[in-house]
Amino acid sequence: MSLYQLFSDCLHIPYIREGDVNYAFKREGEVLTLFFEDSQGEADWRRNLDFPARAYQRMGRTVWYAHRGFLEAWREVEGVLAPVIADKSIRRIVTVGYSHGAAIAVLCHEYIWYHRPELRQALEGWGFGCPRVLWGFMGRDLKARWEYFTVVRNPDDIVTHLPPMVLGYTHVGRMLELSPRRSYSATAAHEAENILRELARYEQESVKSPTE
């Protein structure tokens, strides 16, 4: 599936609401795709701005630190998605999100990496217009959890520059920048229609002709 189609699906798939989080999933054979929607209400915006770092803990041990509001959102939907992710007939998982939803996809991606170690080479993530989620130093072992997660953005997108690096936040995984810098204003670069436009251009330019 093309990135254009994947993002289009993320924008238009019917979502399920759990607390203040909108999520969806689609299964095709052995492939599970999880979607997380962008900000849809006051609670989402409150969480977007709730950026003091918070410890992510497992079995009483701090694993890493992340944006508190995004952690709160992920924890709200984690229990619902846990049995879906645990299904052993699933052999490949893709996490997808836009904006606020991309941040949740980052955390969901790591959850799958930890709980389904046999799928680590078959785990793929895409965060469109994704804000920074992780805080503090990331060693090699921690970075490896998002080896196959890609942040997709127009480089002027203001959301993808928040929270600021000076506060200790960092992106995870790889970065795919679509448009030339200064192609859009800071807010226009984040708009879905402009991400779609640049994805179409990117994919068209990526197609190689048989003579090349």
Side-chain angles (χ1 to χ4, degrees), residues 48-54 65-68 70 132-137 161-171:
N48 292 343
L49 299 173
D50 185 15
F51 55 77
R54 177 181 176 183
Y65 289 85
H67 183 293
R68 184 168 63 187
F70 297 147
R132 297 185 178 109
V133 180
L134 271 286
W135 180 89
F137 174 74
H161 294 276
L162 297 174
M165 290 181 64
V166 295
L167 297 182
Y169 282 91
T170 185
H171 279 297

Side-chain angles (χ1 to χ4, degrees), residues 136-146:
F137 174 74
M138 292 178 61
R140 182 186 306 173
D141 292 344
L142 186 56
K143 287 182 179 180
R145 301 181 184 210
W146 291 276

Side-chain angles (χ1 to χ4, degrees), residues 83-100:
V84 179
I85 293 168
D87 185 342
K88 295 299 183 180
S89 67
I90 297 293
R91 304 309 304 162
R92 179 169 175 257
I93 302 181
V94 183
T95 63
V96 186
Y98 171 39
S99 192
H100 174 87

Side-chain angles (χ1 to χ4, degrees), residues 117-152:
E118 77 279 14
L119 298 187
R120 288 176 184 174
Q121 298 301 312
L123 177 59
E124 177 184 331
W126 300 93
F128 298 93
C130 186
R132 297 185 178 109
V133 180
L134 271 286
W135 180 89
F137 174 74
M138 292 178 61
R140 182 186 306 173
D141 292 344
L142 186 56
K143 287 182 179 180
R145 301 181 184 210
W146 291 276
E147 182 179 1
Y148 300 115
F149 190 94
T150 303
V151 173
V152 182

Side-chain angles (χ1 to χ4, degrees), residues 53-69:
R54 177 181 176 183
Y56 186 98
Q57 295 184 329
R58 285 197 177 101
M59 302 176 67
R61 183 175 66 88
T62 295
V63 184
W64 33 265
Y65 289 85
H67 183 293
R68 184 168 63 187

Side-chain angles (χ1 to χ4, degrees), residues 69-90:
F70 297 147
L71 273 179
E72 181 181 299
W74 165 241
R75 290 299 197 189
E76 200 163 52
V77 75
E78 177 184 344
V80 176
L81 289 177
V84 179
I85 293 168
D87 185 342
K88 295 299 183 180
S89 67
I90 297 293

